């Protein structure tokens, strides 16, 4: 029987560790979550991030701005948060409305407070010595694989999807752990041949059921980053019929999702400790 890798369980263990760390700190790490507009998914994610941060005992605030907020106004807010010594972590929820240059916003966040790990400084550190705030979803995936004892060194890992948020940073993390990493994407020729090589197969394309059983090597570890709503139900990028071929898999929901929020809070605590010494 394949192992069902439970993100709620792993997140719970991480929260317990963070609670112990927080007891030792003479200050309360502070997170600011910034959202523009009211895209339903972004509203849900930002509320959850703020709620979990408060539950952990962090000083968290959700700054919900109108979707018409100009780039200048947003950059001014980030400048204030950068300058505020009481603020440890800044997260601007993506995607941003079309009139805002997301990359300019990402680059405006002080690297020391970049709890998303999206700033070019963090990205550079990720690909070199790894001493950075790491993007939450990839870091959460690594944490989960470690929790379940999944061996990475020397193994064939295939990531389907090359986003800046998941695919690319996860490639860096798996490479640092000595996996042989392939990043496949929409232009990859003969994708099933590529994915069937994978001992660890990660799907991060946002297309429900995209990875079919024929694309899976028997015994592979399956990691599903996709979350799509289909007929009121949350479904992943991996067809659940592929689970029975695997040695271990992450369900949707309840797999990678809970880890993303947990890692954000871990990053906030880490940012506070690095910055405040
Ligand atoms: N949108 C989807 N995932 C993320 C994330 O990890 N961070 C931010 N800021 N926005 C997102």
């Amino acid at each position: 029987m394949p192992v069902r890798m439970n993100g709620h369980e792993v997140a719970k263990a991480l929260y317990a560790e963070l609670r112990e760390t927080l007891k030792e700190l003479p200050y309360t790490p502070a997170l600011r979550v910034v959202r523009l507009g009211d895209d339903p998914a972004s509203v849900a994610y930002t509320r959850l991030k703020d709620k979990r941060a408060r539950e952990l005992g962090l000083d968290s605030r959700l700054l919900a701005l109108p979707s018409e907020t100009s780039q200048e106004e947003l950059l001014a807010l980030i400048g204030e948060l950068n300058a505020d010594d009481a603020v440890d972590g800044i997260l601007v929820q993506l995607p941003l409305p079309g009139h805002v240059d997301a990359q300019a916003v990402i680059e405006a966040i002080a690297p020391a407070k970049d709890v998303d790990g999206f700033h070019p400084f963090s990205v550079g550190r990720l690909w070199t010595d790894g001493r950075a705030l790491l993007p939450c979803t990839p870091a959460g995936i690594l944490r989960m694989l470690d929790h379940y004892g999944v061996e990475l060194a020397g193994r064939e890992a295939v990531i389907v999807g090359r986003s800046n948020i998941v695919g690319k940073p996860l490639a860096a993390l798996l490479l640092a752990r000595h996996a042989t990493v392939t990043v496949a994407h929409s232009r990859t020729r003969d994708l099933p041949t590529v994915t069937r090589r994978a001992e660890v197969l990660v799907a991060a394309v946002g297309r429900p059921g995209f990875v079919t059983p024929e694309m899976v090597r028997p015994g592979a570890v399956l990691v599903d980053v996709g979350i799509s709503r289909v007929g009121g139900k949350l479904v992943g990028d991996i067809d659940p019929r592929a689970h029975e071929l695997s040695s271990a898999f992450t369900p949707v929901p309840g797999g990678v999702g809970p880890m993303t929020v947990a890692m954000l809070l871990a990053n906030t605590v880490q940012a506070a400790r690095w910055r405040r010494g």
Side-chain angles (χ1 to χ4, degrees), residues 49 91-94 116 118 165:
K49 288 168 180 177
L91 177 146
V92 179
Q93 186 67 21
L94 304 177
D116 257 329
F118 295 163
I165 294 180

Side-chain angles (χ1 to χ4, degrees), residues 17-18 22 46 54 82 93 101 137 154 179 187 194 206 230 236 247:
E17 271 178 38
L18 291 174
L22 287 172
T46 51
R54 287 162 187 261
N82 283 341
Q93 186 67 21
D101 175 354
T137 301
R187 304 274 183 97
V194 175
V230 177
S247 56

Side-chain angles (χ1 to χ4, degrees), residues 257-272:
M259 292 307 300
T260 296
V261 181
M263 288 310 309
L264 168 66
L265 307 190
N267 274 352
T268 304
V269 172
Q270 181 65 261

Side-chain angles (χ1 to χ4, degrees), residues 32 82 94 103 115 141 149 152 232 234 243 272:
R32 297 294 176 261
N82 283 341
L94 304 177
Q103 192 59 28
V115 287
I141 291 169
L152 293 170
L234 292 179
H243 291 169

